[in-house]
Amino acid sequence: ASKVLVRLQNRYQKLKKAKDSDAQMLADSMNLRLELTTQELLVEDLKSGESARQRNAAQLLQSLGPRVAALLIDITKREQDYRVRKIAANLLQKLGPHAAERLKQVLALEISADERSRILDIIDTLTSDLKNELVVALSDEDPDVRGAAYRLAERLNDSRIVEWLLEFARSQQPILA
């Protein structure tokens, strides 16, 4: 199924680039949202652990472009398997800076501590501009979120982060130190 969808997406891209107005109208009619069952199949392929299925699903998702950003963000927050979240993060990164900004917004608005932690585990795949997100996460009341934030700070390996961590260590709130 993913091979068929990849070919359709390739055809869509060619039609979209065509100068002919009829071809562009046909391309616009092809630009439909993925049905829920198709999304579920793709997620199952990503979760399968079989490299061929994962690769095909990733290629298809990449070819669908920005219209799968919401699905990829959902995978990054809900999927427990780090490898699957990392694949979704890599695909989001290929969508550009807008996807990174959207993931930052989701992180800021997320209620579930587990989902915030999962996002923090992969967000540096998309961007290293995470000062505000780190400050908030480091002061989170949930110890798992704080732990994910400290791991993120370590991965970012930025001298400015050391300064922020020192500020937290000196803070009046012992839980943060």
Side-chain angles (χ1 to χ4, degrees):
S2 63
K3 288 182 182 181
V4 171
L5 288 172
V6 167
R7 288 189 178 138
L8 282 172
Q9 185 62 25
N10 289 339
R11 184 69 179 145
Y12 164 76
Q13 294 297 333
K14 288 178 185 175
L15 289 171
K16 195 73 174 160
K17 293 177 183 175
K19 303 291 184 204
D20 182 18
S21 63
D22 290 336
Q24 289 184 351
M25 189 169 63
L26 179 59
D28 289 339
S29 69
M30 290 175 66
N31 190 19
L32 302 174
R33 297 188 76 116
L34 286 180
E35 292 196 22
L36 184 58
T37 54
T38 305
Q39 291 179 23
E40 290 170 352
L41 286 171
L42 289 168
V43 171
E44 286 303 314
D45 282 352
L46 285 176
K47 291 168 54 172
S48 72
E50 298 174 31
S51 60
R53 283 178 64 191
Q54 287 177 322
R55 183 176 49 253
N56 287 339
Q59 287 174 345
L60 174 61
L61 288 166
Q62 181 179 353
S63 71
L64 293 173
R67 62 185 160 150
V68 294
L71 173 63
L72 295 171
I73 288 172
D74 196 54
I75 291 169
T76 64
K77 5 184 269 195
R78 296 208 172 126
E79 183 54 44
Q80 292 186 12
D81 184 344
Y82 175 77
R83 183 174 178 190
V84 174
R85 290 196 322 269
K86 190 69 170 178
I87 291 169
N90 283 323
L91 293 170
L92 280 168
Q93 188 267 336
K94 292 175 182 178
L95 294 177
H98 179 70
E101 290 303 315
R102 180 67 186 122
L103 188 58
K104 286 179 176 185
Q105 291 171 349
V106 169
L107 176 62
L109 299 173
E110 187 55 54
I111 295 171
S112 165
D114 288 338
E115 292 182 1
R116 287 194 311 275
S117 294
R118 289 182 194 125
I119 293 171
L120 288 167
D121 285 342
I122 54 84
I123 196 167
D124 56 314
T125 302
L126 282 75
T127 182
S128 60
D129 180 21
L130 297 165
K131 178 183 177 183
N132 295 335
E133 292 73 18
L134 263 177
V135 168
V136 170
L138 288 169
S139 59
D140 197 285
E141 63 186 36
D142 187 274
D144 292 334
V145 173
R146 287 194 311 274
Y150 281 111
R151 289 189 301 276
L152 173 60
E154 188 175 73
R155 286 192 312 273
L156 290 174
N157 195 22
D158 184 337
S159 61
R160 294 174 297 172
I161 293 173
V162 173
E163 293 171 26
W164 303 333
L165 293 176
L166 287 173
E167 286 176 33
F168 276 97
R170 291 184 205 121
S171 75
Q172 298 297 329
Q173 299 174 0
I175 194 163
L176 298 179

